[in-house]
Amino acid sequence: MQQSARWKTLALWLVLVASLLVLLPSLLPARTAAGLPNWIVAHRLVPGLDLTGGSRLVLEVSRTDIAADRLRAAVETIGNTLRAARIPHGDLNGAEDTVDVTVTATDRVDAAREALAGLDLGTLSEPQPGQFNIVLSSAAIDEAVQAASLGAVDAVRRRVESLDIPALSVRRGERDRIVVAMPGLTDPQRVKDLLSQAGKLSARLVDDSMPVNTAIEEGAPAGSEVLYSTGEPPVGYLVRQDDLFTAADVASAEPAANGEPFIEFVLRAEAAERLAAFTRDNSGRTIAILLDGQVISTSQIKGAITDGVGRLSGDFDAEGAANLARIIASGPLPAPVTIIEERSIEPALGATSTGTVVIALAVAVLAVVAFMTFFYGVLGIIASLSLFFNVTLTFAILAIIGAPLSLSMIAGIVLTVGIAVDASVLIFERIREETKAGRSLDEAVDTGFGRARATVLDASATMLIAIAVLFLLSAAPVRAFALAVGIGMLATLFTTFGLTQRLVRAWLGRSHITHLPKGVRTGLFDRLNLRFMAVRNGVFLLTAVLSIAIAGLLYVGKLRLGIDFTGGAALELQAKDGNADPFEIAARLTDTGVDVQSVDATRDPRRALVRLTAQGEGENAEQTSVLIARGELEDDYDFRRVEVVGPAISGELIDTATLGFVAGLLALVAYIWIRFEWHFAIGAIISLAHDVFFTLGFLALAKIEFNISAVAALLTVAGYSLNDTMVVYDRIRENLRHFKQMPLPILIDDAINRTLSRTVLTSATTLIALAALALLGGEAIRTFALTLLFGVAIGTISSIYIAGPILILFRLRPERYRPGKGGAGTVPETGANG
């Protein structure tokens, strides 16, 4: 047994030393860290874009364009098939996902049916004899979208890499999307310009067999089509459908200027030979250069082009020529892409956010350490040392898994700091109670750790359930927060029942102390014998009145939805000279036709927060609004932060937030139901609903934006509320076993009073940490911190004044209590109850 304990202690210290080694490169300057071995430097913490500044775009391959291409291809395939089989037909057309065709020869209907069925394009039906409908397979379109997304990742990377953006990252995201991260790049407009075109370049011969106006009115001849130029007004051209060369045949393309900007491109050898032969035989005719189905340039063939060099001129400036050269040189995208989300932050603002959130973390840790040391003396110092290693271990794990460190992650760690001491407080209070009961300090330590274990695990389980749901069913920033809190919770269990327990025993062994130190000052709560249940009717009445008021606020729409759920854009501006004028900003943007939702002043008079609704319809509407706003305001204001959320993302966020919140609540309620009597489960549900509802009322009353971070905060509040409630319920359950004849209100009061020191100390440390985050963490996470701050406070109140009285309301009786529920009662005197 002694040998086993030594191995556990050794393993514990090895983990802690390894954590410090992992974090060492992140703590040292980059130049110093470069001299360390590669196996250490490999796991350096990498700050995210919200800490370094930069831009993040989320792109989606246009399903509409792919479906339209497949529809055109299906119409062409059906027409070719019927013509090859010499089946007379007419009215061949396609709309949405359906192709219609009518066979005009009754004796050829069977042959047409057999030929169309053999194409396997989709579902074939025949509403009337000779009339066929082919509904294209949606599964085939899904496969085409997936294939296009795979190819688009490399194509986007090639195109954006031409801008030489440092630390550029292009990867495939969820739902076959493409995520482009550009550290240090504040305005991604040039990147967006590069990605706005699929880049399908081709050269075709202009068909001069008939005037273009005749082709427009009467239809183009077979093998030709009418296309239009990009200028205003658009000019029509009748062009052949056969390509002379495409973007795949272009070896290089460079912008140039000779008075007017143009693009010089060089064809690959095989394409150059084809072009030389064609131009030799077609002198005097005209070639049209097409980009994404539009004519951008035309030139007359004056003789054989033998060098494979071409010049492309058109209606573009020098920057447009450079962008077009990059598009041509990088090759076409498999399908057009749409920007459905944009997050941009100025590097200076990112650096400011980093400083403020680090200060908030440091203040939170120092405040919690001071608080614990004051109330627990040496034991508080041990808990603080354990907390230090907890934070170290959390950061080390984040470094090992390579997760970019973001504001939401640090916010999660700050929250963990607040709740990490909960386990230590539970254990220390158990130790104090055991010494009061007459046990020696050595025995009290063993019993305290043993009895508190199940309560700590129960309380941690509720938080971990909420965090797991957040991680699985939410957006990227919320998942980052959930990941940090989840790792922090697991690190808390490891350090509490590993490091803290061993340090306490080591201290006992060295000091030979036999009684509780005088530095433990929580005994002052023992003198309190508050009658909480005596005021339950008044509390219920006040809660009912406030609930009606909150319901009224929510009914009239006082809850302010953020762009995460409504779509649109949010811009944080800073005046280049003087203070920001919200009224002037709103007036200027309104004059340009932008739909301004609101312009709010911030605590810094130089800054303003602008919210825009979509400019028109479609996924690019929000981008249009931002582009217009930049053009109007960029001379007088710096754009410090830009967030754009399109309809696709906002719709998904609504669905995932709703599903995640409901799933999280159901999972938490199910856990309570399994672990406790149904009376306890109902009490926990009502207490939880109370906390969530009141927190929503706080957001509405304080006019705090309700966004995806607020949803994450609400679910975290739910987990914390149940965490607190379960500690009280554990003690009520223990009293039910020991005091069979005690009136229920007095029994509940006794349980609350016995856990009051833990409730006050844990809530205080958590509130201190969250207050530091709210006051010092900066604007980016203030909404999240304030929501949690209020939620934790109201959750603490409800665990006393709501969760307890509900048991009386549902007439819980000691004689009806089943002690075996959840394992309670099957545990002997030294069992594991909180």
Side-chain angles (χ1 to χ4, degrees):
M1 197 69 176
Q2 181 90 11
Q3 192 70 17
S4 174
R6 287 179 179 175
W7 275 111
K8 289 180 181 178
T9 302
L10 179 62
L12 175 68
W13 287 109
L14 285 175
V15 169
L16 297 177
V17 171
S19 299
L20 290 172
L21 282 176
V22 168
L23 289 181
L24 185 61
S26 303
L27 300 175
L28 295 174
R31 183 176 299 178
T32 305
L36 297 174
N38 290 334
W39 61 272
I40 294 181
V41 182
H43 298 294
R44 186 183 180 93
L45 277 172
V46 179
L49 289 180
D50 53 357
L51 296 179
T52 62
S55 300
R56 178 179 179 271
L57 302 177
V58 179
L59 316 175
E60 185 175 62
V61 169
S62 174
R63 183 185 178 88
T64 302
D65 286 293
I66 291 177
D69 288 342
R70 290 187 67 82
L71 184 65
R72 284 192 294 269
V75 170
E76 184 176 348
T77 300
I78 290 170
N80 292 337
T81 299
L82 295 178
R83 282 192 293 271
R86 297 185 178 181
I87 299 174
H89 63 280
D91 297 330
L92 174 60
N93 61 80
E96 296 183 351
D97 60 349
T98 304
V99 179
D100 300 320
V101 64
T102 300
V103 175
T104 55
T106 56
D107 61 333
R108 300 292 288 162
V109 170
D110 292 338
R113 187 183 301 110
E114 183 178 352
L116 294 175
L119 294 177
D120 194 26
L121 293 174
T123 305
L124 177 66
S125 61
E126 191 175 355
Q128 295 181 12
Q131 293 183 1
F132 294 96
N133 300 127
I134 300 94
V135 179
L136 302 183
S137 169
S138 59
I141 296 176
D142 290 339
E143 291 176 3
V145 171
Q146 187 175 22
S149 297
L150 283 171
V153 174
D154 291 332
V156 168
R157 183 182 293 111
R158 287 195 304 272
R159 192 169 292 185
V160 181
E161 280 178 346
S162 65
L163 294 174
D164 296 325
I165 299 172
L168 171 71
S169 169
V170 180
R171 61 179 177 82
R172 193 178 181 199
E174 298 176 346
R175 301 174 188 261
D176 296 323
R177 289 171 179 157
I178 304 162
V179 179
V180 182
M182 298 159 286
L185 185 67
T186 305
D187 182 6
Q189 188 58 48
R190 196 170 185 186
V191 175
K192 292 190 285 186
D193 290 340
L194 273 183
L195 299 175
S196 63
Q197 295 175 299
K200 294 180 179 179
L201 182 80
S202 62
R204 297 184 185 178
L205 184 66
V206 174
D207 187 348
D208 53 10
S209 63
M210 69 166 63
V212 66
N213 290 334
T214 303
I216 293 173
E217 294 174 1
E218 301 179 3
S224 296
E225 61 181 329
V226 176
L227 297 177
Y228 293 88
S229 68
T230 57
E232 290 292 341
V235 177
Y237 292 89
L238 180 63
V239 298
R240 300 293 297 172
Q241 293 179 333
D242 301 323
D243 294 327
L244 301 178
F245 61 83
T246 66
D249 298 316
V250 177
S252 64
E254 295 289 341
N258 185 12
E260 293 292 330
F262 63 91
I263 298 164
E264 187 173 85
F265 60 89
V266 179
L267 297 178
R268 302 183 191 278
E270 185 179 345
E273 292 177 5
R274 291 200 312 269
L275 183 63
F278 181 85
T279 52
R280 187 179 300 113
D281 299 334
N282 290 275
S283 181
R285 302 191 69 178
T286 303
I287 292 178
I289 304 296
L290 279 59
L291 183 68
D292 296 337
Q294 290 184 295
V295 178
I296 60 173
S297 179
T298 59
S299 60
Q300 188 176 36
I301 302 173
K302 297 180 180 179
I305 302 174
T306 58
D307 57 2
V309 177
R311 176 178 290 190
L312 180 60
S313 59
D315 185 19
F316 43 71
D317 55 16
E319 184 176 338
N323 283 343
L324 187 54
R326 288 187 174 94
I327 290 172
I328 295 171
S330 62
L333 302 175
V337 296
T338 302
I339 300 171
I340 59 175
E341 185 179 10
E342 175 188 347
R343 311 274 181 178
S344 299
I345 183 170
E346 190 182 56
L349 183 57
T352 301
S353 298
T354 303
T356 55
V357 81
V358 168
I359 291 173
L361 177 60
V363 169
V365 171
L366 291 175
V368 170
V369 167
F371 201 80
M372 290 295 293
T373 303
F374 174 79
F375 277 101
Y376 288 107
V378 176
L379 292 177
I381 294 174
I382 290 174
S384 301
L385 183 61
S386 182
L387 176 63
F388 169 76
F389 279 110
N390 184 341
V391 174
T392 301
L393 183 57
T394 301
F395 276 115
I397 294 174
L398 290 174
I400 289 171
I401 64 179
L405 191 63
S406 63
L407 282 174
S408 56
M409 274 189 176
I410 298 178
I413 294 171
V414 171
L415 176 64
T416 304
V417 167
I419 63 178
V421 295
D422 182 31
S424 296
V425 170
L426 279 169
I427 292 167
F428 294 163
E429 287 304 293
R430 266 299 185 181
I431 292 173
R432 192 173 62 82
E433 287 186 26
E434 295 300 326
T435 57
K436 281 181 60 180
R439 294 181 185 270
S440 67
L441 185 57
D442 191 59
E443 291 177 340
V445 167
D446 289 337
T447 305
F449 274 96
R451 287 198 168 193
R453 188 182 302 273
T455 302
V456 171
L457 292 176
D458 271 340
S460 299
T462 56
M463 281 298 294
L464 287 173
I465 288 171
I467 293 305
V469 172
L470 279 178
F471 184 80
L472 294 174
L473 298 172
S474 203
V478 177
R479 282 200 301 272
F481 164 79
L483 179 64
V485 175
I487 292 173
M489 293 294 296
L490 295 175
T492 296
L493 294 175
F494 175 78
T495 54
T496 299
F497 294 105
L499 182 63
T500 303
Q501 190 168 3
R502 279 164 174 74
L503 287 177
V504 170
R505 285 175 176 164
W507 166 64
L508 286 177
R510 289 181 179 274
S511 65
H512 303 292
I513 191 169
T514 58
H515 58 277
L516 201 65
K518 293 182 179 180
V520 178
R521 296 182 174 87
T522 55
L524 59 92
F525 292 98
D526 293 343
R527 292 188 289 272
L528 300 175
N529 188 21
L530 302 177
R531 297 294 304 276
F532 296 103
M533 297 304 101
V535 296
R536 64 182 182 274
N537 292 331
V539 171
F540 280 152
L541 179 61
L542 179 62
T543 300
V545 171
L546 291 176
S547 297
I548 293 172
I550 291 171
L553 284 174
L554 299 180
Y555 180 77
V556 297
K558 292 297 183 180
L559 189 63
R560 186 177 183 180
L561 297 179
I563 63 170
D564 288 338
F565 299 129
T566 63
L571 317 174
E572 184 179 332
L573 309 179
Q574 179 170 301
K576 293 182 178 180
D577 185 25
N579 295 332
D581 186 341
F583 297 104
E584 183 216 16
I585 293 171
R588 289 174 62 179
L589 291 179
T590 301
D591 289 343
T592 64
V594 173
D595 192 354
V596 180
Q597 181 180 338
S598 64
V599 181
D600 299 323
T602 66
R603 295 195 300 180
D604 186 339
R606 297 175 301 164
R607 299 179 188 173
L609 184 61
V610 181
R611 292 179 177 84
L612 308 177
T613 54
Q615 181 77 9
E617 297 180 355
E619 287 294 341
N620 285 321
E622 288 77 12
Q623 294 290 339
T624 303
S625 297
V626 174
L627 188 61
I628 295 173
R630 277 191 183 275
E632 175 64 27
L633 300 174
E634 62 185 354
D635 290 340
D636 302 313
Y637 293 91
D638 291 322
F639 283 65
R640 305 204 74 194
R641 179 167 58 92
V642 176
E643 295 183 2
V644 184
V645 179
I649 292 292
S650 62
E652 287 174 10
L653 288 177
I654 291 173
D655 293 341
T656 55
T658 303
L659 177 61
F661 191 71
V662 172
L665 293 185
L666 290 177
L668 290 170
V669 169
Y671 185 83
I672 294 290
W673 203 286
I674 292 170
R675 291 289 292 140
F676 291 88
E677 279 284 331
W678 68 267
H679 307 80
F680 292 99
I682 296 296
I685 294 169
I686 294 175
S687 179
L688 185 152
H690 166 276
D691 299 341
V692 171
F693 191 63
F694 271 60
T695 304
L696 285 174
F698 165 74
L699 293 175
L701 190 62
K703 298 181 180 180
I704 295 176
E705 185 178 90
F706 185 76
N707 52 28
I708 193 67
S709 294
V711 174
L714 279 177
L715 196 50
T716 306
V717 165
Y720 184 90
S721 172
L722 286 184
N723 179 317
D724 211 10
T725 300
M726 287 187 71
V727 173
V728 175
Y729 276 0
D730 256 348
R731 188 53 69 98
I732 293 175
R733 187 169 60 176
E734 182 176 334
N735 281 357
L736 285 169
R737 293 201 310 273
H738 293 161
F739 308 110
K740 298 292 186 180
Q741 304 303 318
M742 183 180 289
L744 190 57
I746 297 176
L747 184 146
I748 294 173
D749 278 341
D750 178 77
I752 295 174
N753 277 289
R754 284 174 176 266
T755 57
L756 190 60
S757 57
R758 174 265 167 200
T759 299
V760 171
L761 293 177
T762 299
S763 297
T765 53
T766 306
L767 291 173
I768 287 171
L770 291 174
L773 192 63
L775 294 173
L776 304 172
E779 294 288 341
I781 54 175
R782 180 162 285 115
T783 294
F784 182 74
L786 286 174
T787 306
L788 276 178
L789 187 64
F790 179 85
V792 168
I794 200 69
T796 302
I797 294 171
S798 71
S799 67
I800 296 173
Y801 287 105
I802 302 296
I806 289 296
L807 299 179
I808 300 175
L809 189 65
F810 283 93
R811 300 183 183 277
L812 176 65
R813 291 290 183 267
E815 64 272 13
R816 291 166 52 189
Y817 175 68
R818 291 183 288 127
K821 185 71 170 175
T826 62
V827 183
E829 176 73 16
T830 57
N833 280 296

